Amino acid sequence: MTNHQINQIEPKITKKDINSINTYLKKDNWITENKFTLEFENRFKKYTGSKYAVAFPNGTLTLLGILKSLNLKKNSKVIIPNITMVATATSVKLAGFNPIFADVEKKYLCMCPTDLEKKVKQKNVKAVIYVTLNGRSGNLEKIKKICKKYKIYLIEDSAHSIGSFLKNKHHGNFGIASSFSFSMPKIITTGQGGMIVTNSKKIYKKLKLIKNFGRAQAGNDDYISEGYNFKFTDIQAILGISQLEDITARVKKKKYIFNYYHKYLKKIKKINFLEFKKNETPWFIDIYVDDKNNLKSHLKKNNILTRDIYPPLNKLKFLSNEREKLPISKNYSDKGLWLPSSLNLSKKNLDYIINCIKEFYEN
């Protein structure tokens, strides 16, 4: 048994990150949102290939910001996948709209186009939030065609998708706007934080007002529209810039970790992996097993922490009164486990985890 606990996820903060923050703090800087936030936005939009980027305090408020920018009516409905982080749904509620849950596909666990097409015909459906779960594209292009057919907005929740591309286009460039997250578990982190990317100048201008109290400029009280204090901070931006400079190595390491697990565990018939395409980057390494709880307990006894994938959102009473059976969501949620996925994992760590999993199935 290893002497130290292997966490399911932890941030990777490098000496370069620390030096960047120390250098910044030693200068006479403003700390709040200023020129480095603008630089981070510019660098991020360049990385994703988007025309515009706007930094927000977190990935829940990015989704809220996008929904607010669309000027939807109060009784609007927004369709979201039934397996996603709860913030996808609560952002819809926070905006004053009603979430409708669509089942996911077996192959990717992203929103099922067939189920979407059934639900999109409901009265007052105005938008779809498509989650590229765990960095997988799923059937994003098919979803886009459905949204275009019914003249509804496509919003991307790309929280897991830094470093993932579909046909050489980075996730986040397929709908009206996209939400990215920089919370602690993400490939790059600013502690908390998020970014909206969009190719619409109109949406970009609305987002800039929404995040700054409805003011066109900071430092005055000339209010053009309703807005809020959703500003970022330069100290976070300094960390984000530093980590974004290392994004190629971070993406490469995530792919290495998935491929290493897959190589040594794929022969165990009781473990099911979902595929990643060459230009998709795993966020967490997910496996699907029938005896999840026993495997979790075995790994925990050996100082290895894991995490269940998200529960089906339509089963949460505070989100929905409907109890529609969405069988794929339930089945994969019951079986889904995220293995340790930190960028800090060494080959020694990975070998130990893999051997513990093999030991469980051999016994």
Side-chain angles (χ1 to χ4, degrees):
M1 181 186 289
T2 181
N3 291 325
H4 70 281
Q5 181 173 279
I6 298 176
N7 293 316
Q8 190 276 319
I9 193 67
E10 56 189 34
K12 181 176 183 180
I13 306 297
T14 66
K15 287 182 181 179
K16 181 169 76 71
D17 296 336
I18 295 166
N19 289 337
S20 295
I21 291 172
N22 285 341
T23 300
Y24 173 79
L25 288 174
K26 285 175 184 176
K27 294 180 180 179
D28 183 20
N29 283 301
W30 291 88
I31 297 179
T32 188
E33 181 171 309
N34 204 267
K35 61 184 179 180
F36 289 106
T37 299
L38 180 62
E39 183 181 343
F40 185 37
E41 290 171 339
N42 287 334
R43 289 194 185 206
F44 195 81
K45 75 181 183 185
K46 185 177 180 181
Y47 177 70
T48 58
S50 311
K51 287 184 180 177
Y52 307 100
V54 188
F56 269 62
N58 59 57
T60 303
L61 295 182
T62 50
L63 287 170
L64 176 65
I66 294 168
L67 289 164
K68 286 285 188 181
S69 75
L70 300 178
N71 295 325
L72 303 179
K73 292 181 180 178
K74 283 187 178 180
N75 60 350
S76 295
K77 296 175 183 175
V78 181
I79 301 175
I80 68 172
N82 201 35
I83 293 185
T84 178
M85 207 276 175
V86 72
T88 311
T90 52
S91 64
V92 175
K93 299 274 278 188
L94 193 57
F97 309 130
N98 298 311
I100 304 296
F101 304 100
D103 211 351
V104 296
E105 293 184 284
K106 290 180 181 179
K107 195 173 182 181
Y108 311 109
L109 298 196
C110 296
M111 185 184 288
C112 173
T114 305
D115 202 34
L116 171 61
E117 189 124 35
K118 289 178 188 174
K119 286 165 181 170
V120 80
K121 297 169 187 174
Q122 292 184 35
K123 188 179 179 182
N124 295 325
V125 170
K126 301 299 180 184
V128 166
I129 299 179
Y130 184 82
V131 179
T132 41
L133 193 78
N134 215 15
R136 296 183 177 98
S137 305
N139 267 304
L140 178 50
E141 289 179 309
K142 197 176 282 187
I143 297 288
K144 184 176 180 178
K145 286 178 183 176
I146 294 169
C147 291
K148 187 176 181 181
K149 177 181 174 182
Y150 291 95
K151 297 179 181 178
I152 59 174
Y153 290 110
L154 171 61
I155 300 164
E156 291 174 73
D157 182 342
S158 305
H160 298 175
S161 272
I162 296 172
S164 280
F165 295 78
L166 174 58
K167 294 184 177 176
N168 298 319
K169 186 186 285 190
H170 197 285
H171 288 180
N173 288 292
F174 294 86
I176 187 68
S178 180
S179 160
F180 288 88
S181 169
F182 306 127
S183 63
M184 183 280 290
K186 301 305 189 296
I187 292 177
I188 65 171
T189 180
T190 56
Q192 285 294 335
M195 189 79 76
I196 298 171
V197 301
T198 181
N199 293 306
S200 165
K201 189 173 185 179
K202 183 180 177 182
I203 295 296
Y204 170 70
K205 286 183 174 180
K206 285 184 179 179
L207 291 168
K208 294 289 281 184
L209 287 171
I210 286 167
K211 71 171 290 183
N212 187 33
F213 300 102
R215 304 180 299 191
Q217 290 182 328
N220 64 52
D221 292 304
D222 182 15
Y223 304 107
I224 296 170
S225 67
E226 182 180 337
Y228 313 93
N229 182 5
F230 290 164
K231 293 192 290 296
F232 204 59
T233 70
D234 265 17
I235 195 166
Q236 288 173 287
I238 287 289
L239 182 56
I241 290 165
S242 178
Q243 297 208 348
L244 196 56
E245 288 172 347
D246 299 332
I247 189 63
T248 301
R250 287 169 178 262
V251 164
K252 187 177 179 181
K253 180 68 182 282
K254 282 285 185 179
K255 290 180 178 181
Y256 166 81
I257 293 168
F258 173 80
N259 289 331
Y260 201 87
Y261 276 124
H262 186 256
K263 180 180 178 180
Y264 293 104
L265 294 175
K266 65 182 178 181
K267 290 181 181 177
I268 300 174
K269 292 180 180 179
K270 290 186 177 181
I271 297 177
N272 180 26
F273 283 90
L274 303 183
E275 69 174 44
F276 281 96
K277 293 171 185 171
K278 189 176 180 181
N279 55 356
E280 295 172 347
T281 300
W283 171 55
F284 284 171
I285 283 63
D286 52 340
I287 60 171
Y288 300 87
V289 295
D290 290 328
D291 41 8
K292 179 176 75 172
N293 290 334
N294 289 332
L295 176 58
K296 274 176 63 180
S297 296
H298 171 75
L299 293 175
K300 191 174 181 180
K301 286 175 187 175
N302 287 279
N303 273 341
I304 300 166
L305 299 188
T306 57
R307 179 174 163 181
D308 293 343
I309 74 159
Y310 306 125
L313 294 184
N314 72 326
K315 300 296 182 185
L316 302 179
K317 291 180 181 178
F318 61 88
L319 289 178
S320 175
N321 292 322
E322 285 190 36
R323 292 294 173 262
E324 179 188 7
K325 290 183 179 178
L326 299 175
I328 299 171
S329 304
K330 185 176 187 315
N331 180 48
Y332 278 84
S333 180
D334 287 347
K335 296 179 179 181
L337 193 65
W338 276 316
L339 297 177
S341 305
S342 300
L343 288 163
N344 300 322
L345 285 171
S346 64
K347 183 177 177 295
K348 185 178 179 181
N349 293 149
L350 289 168
D351 286 336
Y352 176 71
I353 297 162
I354 287 164
N355 287 333
C356 284
I357 294 171
K358 284 181 174 179
E359 179 186 59
F360 174 79
Y361 282 104
E362 285 167 2
N363 293 335

